[in-house]
Amino acid sequence: MSIVEISFVVEMMGELLHYVPVTLALAGGALLLAVVIGIAGSLMEQWGPYWLRRILAVYVLLGRAVPTMIMLYLVYFGLPLLLLALREEYGVTIIGMEKVPAFILALLALTLHTGAYLIKVFDSAFLSVDKGQLEAGLATGLSVWQSYRQIIFPQAFLYAIPLLGNQFLGLIKATSIVFVISVVEILGAAKVACAGSYRYLETYLAAALIYWGFSIVFEYLFIRAEKYWGYYRRGSEQLC
Amino acid sequence: MLMSVRHVSKKFAGVEVLKDVNLDVDKGDVVVVIGPSGSGKTTFLRCLDFLETADSGHLDFDNLHFDFHAADKKKIVALRKKTAFVFQNYNLFANKTALENVTLGLTVGRGIDKDEAEKLGRQALRKVGLLDKADYYPNQLSGGQQQRVGIARAIAVKPGVILFDEPTSALDPQLVGEVLLVMKQLAAEGITMIVVTHEMKFAQEAASKVVFMADGRVIEEGTPQEIFLTPKKERTKDFLKSVMPIEYGDPAILI
């Protein structure tokens, strides 16, 4: 008998692959929501009133300072209390607030955590767009919003793509700790499997292989996305 | 009078960069503003398009009246729709083709339908000799070509006046000529222009009025002959000597 039984690893991978949708839904969902927070937050930092900018600064600071796992706990234990308090104090009732699924809470915690980073990511993306681009838009008779929509957003987004890719790979790994609030994804499923089989190495190796697979696939996809979105940067080499 | 600018003053961090600058522009005028670096020419031009906000002064343009420090946002947009700006470093929209650069102000800015805008856009590109580059991105064009697209973008909207901010300063010497040629052509067609530049030959050949600025003030203004051949102020003479040591004082080259 060899140290690592390959066939068991393969078998384990087959089982763990069932949890890929959970991991992807968490990471993908959190990234999409965090992108909204990131863009909106970054714009409000630039254009918003002073008090809002202060609140955002606190959020960015705290959101990035807290370990993801603590953020999970804070949301998992804190949000239901907050909702209860809202009902007691103000009579606000939200349907389903009695038992919010752990998956939703995990998604929320990852979103809050990632959103704080993405505000910074979009700050740098917006800063990377030459300010002459906005001036040219305005001078051409466009409003600020039209200039952003037509010129600034498409260019800023391109600068953000590699950073979003980074963040997404980080998120995929971060999903592996949502097991602490009882959401079962790839690593959670691996742990459960170990408890029955006692074959720790093979099981975790199977999980690792899946994460490696993710990393390879998504790194490639983000590079493709950057090439695709950067259509207007192509072709300069033909000129020389 | 198409445009009348009065008493423009501006400070940057306590430093006075514009001190009571006045300017009158008639329809068809080609006003060329010259002067040493740091004289406030570019700031003055940018104030006219509200890319900078002057601290005081007012502007009358085509029946619109503005107080520089308290101008209404909607009116500023209205002003910008009647003017065009050509930037020192072109500022073409990087994510748009040459044609899209020219048509964006027509479609999104002015609500002209796409087919009509493309027709006008192609006309403008033909005028600057770049119709064959309509589908190129700025990244694929040389500096001179980019600036000509910038000029096409400006003329396509048929503005009352085009503001040029050192349009050739960022160009390699051999690319300057093609841009100046286009500008001279526009001047000859009677398009009203205010041009901030260091190109003295352009000022001599194309200007209807030359304004010499230094230290945030208009020192002297007049026809090219007056400024270049018979400048009255010492400051003007010193400047001309320093920028054109050979040409200055040699009327034969001018006439």
Coordinates of all heavy atoms in Angstrom, one line a residue, chain A residues 64-106:
Chain A
R64 N -11.0 46.2 6.6 CA -9.8 45.6 6.2 C -9.0 45.1 7.4 O -8.1 44.3 7.3 CB -8.9 46.6 5.4 CG -9.6 46.9 4.1 CD -8.7 47.6 3.1 NE -8.1 48.8 3.7 CZ -7.1 49.4 3.1 NH1 -6.5 49.0 2.0 NH2 -6.6 50.5 3.6
A65 N -9.3 45.7 8.6 CA -8.4 45.4 9.7 C -8.8 44.1 10.4 O -8.0 43.4 11.1 CB -8.5 46.5 10.8
V66 N -10.1 43.7 10.2 CA -10.6 42.5 10.9 C -10.4 41.2 10.1 O -10.6 41.2 8.9 CB -12.1 42.7 11.1 CG1 -12.8 41.5 11.7 CG2 -12.4 43.9 12.0
P67 N -9.9 40.2 10.8 CA -9.8 38.9 10.0 C -11.1 38.4 9.5 O -12.1 38.7 10.1 CB -9.3 37.9 11.1 CG -8.6 38.8 12.2 CD -9.4 40.1 12.1
T68 N -11.1 37.8 8.4 CA -12.3 37.4 7.7 C -13.2 36.5 8.7 O -14.4 36.7 8.7 CB -12.0 36.5 6.5 OG1 -10.9 37.1 5.8 CG2 -13.2 36.5 5.6
M69 N -12.5 35.7 9.5 CA -13.3 34.8 10.4 C -14.0 35.6 11.4 O -15.2 35.3 11.7 CB -12.3 33.8 11.0 CG -13.1 32.6 11.7 SD -12.1 31.5 12.5 CE -11.4 30.6 11.1
I70 N -13.4 36.7 11.9 CA -14.1 37.5 12.9 C -15.3 38.2 12.3 O -16.4 38.3 12.8 CB -13.1 38.5 13.6 CG1 -12.1 37.7 14.3 CG2 -13.9 39.5 14.5 CD1 -11.1 38.6 15.1
M71 N -15.1 38.6 11.0 CA -16.2 39.3 10.3 C -17.4 38.3 10.2 O -18.5 38.7 10.4 CB -15.7 39.7 8.9 CG -16.7 40.5 8.1 SD -17.0 42.2 8.9 CE -16.0 43.2 7.9
L72 N -17.0 37.0 9.9 CA -18.1 36.0 9.8 C -18.8 35.9 11.1 O -20.1 35.9 11.2 CB -17.5 34.6 9.5 CG -17.1 34.4 8.0 CD1 -16.3 33.1 7.9 CD2 -18.4 34.2 7.2
Y73 N -18.1 35.8 12.2 CA -18.7 35.7 13.5 C -19.6 36.9 13.9 O -20.7 36.8 14.4 CB -17.6 35.5 14.6 CG -17.1 34.1 14.7 CD1 -15.7 33.9 14.8 CD2 -18.0 33.0 14.7 CE1 -15.2 32.6 14.9 CE2 -17.5 31.7 14.7 CZ -16.1 31.5 14.9 OH -15.6 30.2 14.9
L74 N -19.0 38.1 13.6 CA -19.7 39.3 13.9 C -21.1 39.3 13.2 O -22.1 39.7 13.7 CB -18.9 40.6 13.5 CG -17.7 40.9 14.3 CD1 -17.0 42.1 13.8 CD2 -18.1 41.1 15.8
V75 N -21.1 39.0 11.9 CA -22.3 39.0 11.1 C -23.2 37.9 11.6 O -24.4 38.1 11.8 CB -22.0 38.9 9.6 CG1 -23.3 38.7 8.8 CG2 -21.3 40.1 9.1
Y76 N -22.7 36.7 11.8 CA -23.5 35.5 12.2 C -24.2 35.7 13.5 O -25.3 35.4 13.7 CB -22.6 34.3 12.2 CG -23.3 33.0 12.5 CD1 -24.1 32.5 11.5 CD2 -23.1 32.3 13.6 CE1 -24.8 31.3 11.7 CE2 -23.8 31.1 13.8 CZ -24.6 30.6 12.8 OH -25.3 29.4 13.0
F77 N -23.4 36.2 14.5 CA -24.0 36.4 15.8 C -24.6 37.8 16.0 O -25.6 38.0 16.7 CB -23.0 36.2 16.9 CG -22.5 34.8 17.0 CD1 -21.2 34.5 16.6 CD2 -23.4 33.8 17.3 CE1 -20.7 33.2 16.7 CE2 -22.9 32.4 17.3 CZ -21.6 32.1 17.0
G78 N -24.1 38.8 15.2 CA -24.5 40.2 15.4 C -25.8 40.5 14.7 O -26.7 41.2 15.2
L79 N -25.8 40.1 13.4 CA -27.0 40.6 12.6 C -28.3 40.2 13.1 O -29.2 41.0 13.2 CB -26.8 40.1 11.1 CG -27.7 40.7 10.1 CD1 -27.3 42.2 9.9 CD2 -27.8 39.9 8.8
P80 N -28.5 38.9 13.5 CA -29.8 38.5 14.1 C -30.2 39.4 15.3 O -31.4 39.8 15.4 CB -29.6 37.1 14.5 CG -28.5 36.6 13.6 CD -27.6 37.7 13.4
L81 N -29.2 39.7 16.1 CA -29.5 40.6 17.3 C -29.9 42.0 16.8 O -30.8 42.6 17.3 CB -28.3 40.7 18.2 CG -27.9 39.5 19.0 CD1 -26.7 39.7 19.8 CD2 -29.1 39.1 19.9
L82 N -29.2 42.5 15.8 CA -29.5 43.8 15.2 C -30.9 43.8 14.7 O -31.7 44.8 14.9 CB -28.5 44.1 14.1 CG -28.5 45.6 13.6 CD1 -28.0 46.5 14.6 CD2 -27.7 45.7 12.3
L83 N -31.3 42.8 13.9 CA -32.6 42.7 13.4 C -33.7 42.7 14.5 O -34.7 43.3 14.4 CB -32.8 41.5 12.5 CG -32.0 41.5 11.2 CD1 -32.1 40.2 10.4 CD2 -32.5 42.7 10.3
L84 N -33.4 41.9 15.5 CA -34.3 41.8 16.7 C -34.5 43.2 17.3 O -35.6 43.6 17.6 CB -33.8 40.8 17.7 CG -34.1 39.3 17.4 CD1 -33.6 38.5 18.5 CD2 -35.6 39.1 17.2
A85 N -33.3 43.9 17.5 CA -33.3 45.2 18.1 C -34.2 46.1 17.3 O -34.9 46.9 17.9 CB -31.9 45.7 18.3
L86 N -34.0 46.0 16.0 CA -34.8 46.9 15.1 C -36.3 46.7 15.3 O -37.1 47.6 15.4 CB -34.5 46.6 13.6 CG -33.3 47.4 13.0 CD1 -33.1 46.9 11.6 CD2 -33.5 48.9 13.1
R87 N -36.7 45.4 15.5 CA -38.1 45.1 15.7 C -38.6 45.7 17.0 O -39.6 46.3 17.1 CB -38.3 43.6 15.6 CG -39.8 43.3 15.5 CD -40.1 41.9 15.3 NE -39.5 41.0 16.3 CZ -39.6 39.7 16.4 NH1 -40.1 39.1 15.4 NH2 -39.1 39.0 17.3
E88 N -37.8 45.4 18.1 CA -38.2 45.8 19.4 C -38.3 47.4 19.5 O -39.3 47.9 20.0 CB -37.1 45.4 20.4 CG -36.8 43.9 20.4 CD -37.7 43.1 21.3 OE1 -37.8 43.5 22.5 OE2 -38.4 42.2 20.8
E89 N -37.3 48.0 18.9 CA -37.2 49.5 19.1 C -38.1 50.2 18.1 O -38.8 51.2 18.5 CB -35.8 50.0 18.9 CG -34.8 49.5 19.9 CD -35.0 50.1 21.3 OE1 -35.2 51.4 21.3 OE2 -34.8 49.5 22.3
Y90 N -38.1 49.8 16.9 CA -38.8 50.6 15.8 C -40.0 49.8 15.2 O -40.7 50.4 14.3 CB -37.8 51.0 14.8 CG -36.7 51.8 15.3 CD1 -35.4 51.3 15.5 CD2 -36.9 53.1 15.7 CE1 -34.4 52.0 16.0 CE2 -35.8 53.9 16.3 CZ -34.5 53.3 16.4 OH -33.5 54.0 16.9
G91 N -40.2 48.6 15.5 CA -41.2 47.8 14.9 C -41.0 47.4 13.5 O -41.9 47.1 12.7
V92 N -39.7 47.5 13.1 CA -39.4 47.1 11.7 C -39.3 45.6 11.6 O -38.6 44.9 12.4 CB -38.0 47.7 11.3 CG1 -37.7 47.3 9.9 CG2 -38.0 49.2 11.5
T93 N -40.1 45.1 10.7 CA -40.1 43.6 10.5 C -39.7 43.3 9.1 O -40.2 43.9 8.1 CB -41.5 43.0 10.8 OG1 -42.0 43.6 11.9 CG2 -41.4 41.5 11.0
I94 N -38.7 42.4 8.9 CA -38.3 42.0 7.6 C -38.7 40.5 7.5 O -38.4 39.7 8.4 CB -36.8 42.2 7.4 CG1 -36.5 43.7 7.5 CG2 -36.4 41.6 6.0 CD1 -35.0 44.0 7.8
I95 N -39.3 40.2 6.4 CA -39.8 38.8 6.2 C -38.6 37.9 6.2 O -37.5 38.1 5.6 CB -40.5 38.6 4.8 CG1 -41.8 39.5 4.9 CG2 -40.9 37.2 4.6 CD1 -42.4 39.8 3.5
G96 N -38.7 36.8 7.0 CA -37.6 35.8 7.1 C -36.5 36.2 8.1 O -35.5 35.5 8.2
M97 N -36.7 37.3 8.8 CA -35.6 37.7 9.7 C -35.4 36.8 10.9 O -34.4 36.8 11.5 CB -35.9 39.1 10.2 CG -37.1 39.3 11.0 SD -37.4 41.0 11.5 CE -36.5 41.1 13.0
E98 N -36.4 36.0 11.1 CA -36.4 35.0 12.3 C -35.2 34.0 12.1 O -34.5 33.7 13.0 CB -37.7 34.3 12.5 CG -38.9 35.2 12.7 CD -38.8 35.9 14.1 OE1 -37.9 35.4 14.9 OE2 -39.5 36.9 14.3
K99 N -35.1 33.6 10.9 CA -34.0 32.6 10.6 C -33.4 32.8 9.2 O -33.8 32.2 8.3 CB -34.6 31.2 10.7 CG -35.9 31.0 10.1 CD -36.4 29.6 10.3 CE -37.8 29.4 9.6 NZ -38.4 28.2 9.8
V100 N -32.5 33.8 9.2 CA -31.7 34.0 8.0 C -30.8 32.8 7.8 O -30.1 32.4 8.7 CB -30.9 35.3 8.1 CG1 -30.1 35.6 6.8 CG2 -31.8 36.5 8.5
P101 N -30.8 32.3 6.6 CA -29.9 31.1 6.3 C -28.5 31.5 6.5 O -28.1 32.6 6.2 CB -30.2 30.8 4.8 CG -31.4 31.5 4.4 CD -31.6 32.7 5.4
A102 N -27.7 30.5 7.0 CA -26.3 30.8 7.3 C -25.6 31.1 6.0 O -24.6 31.9 6.0 CB -25.6 29.5 7.9
F103 N -26.0 30.6 4.9 CA -25.4 30.9 3.6 C -25.4 32.4 3.3 O -24.5 33.0 2.9 CB -26.0 30.1 2.5 CG -25.5 30.4 1.1 CD1 -24.4 29.7 0.6 CD2 -26.0 31.4 0.3 CE1 -23.8 30.0 -0.6 CE2 -25.5 31.7 -0.9 CZ -24.4 31.0 -1.4
I104 N -26.6 33.0 3.6 CA -26.8 34.4 3.3 C -25.9 35.2 4.2 O -25.3 36.2 3.8 CB -28.3 34.8 3.5 CG1 -29.2 34.1 2.6 CG2 -28.4 36.3 3.4 CD1 -29.0 34.4 1.1
L105 N -25.8 34.8 5.5 CA -25.0 35.5 6.5 C -23.5 35.4 6.0 O -22.7 36.4 6.1 CB -25.1 34.9 7.9 CG -26.5 35.2 8.5 CD1 -26.7 34.5 9.8 CD2 -26.8 36.7 8.7
A106 N -23.1 34.2 5.6 CA -21.7 34.1 5.1 C -21.4 35.0 3.9 O -20.4 35.7 3.8 CB -21.5 32.6 4.7

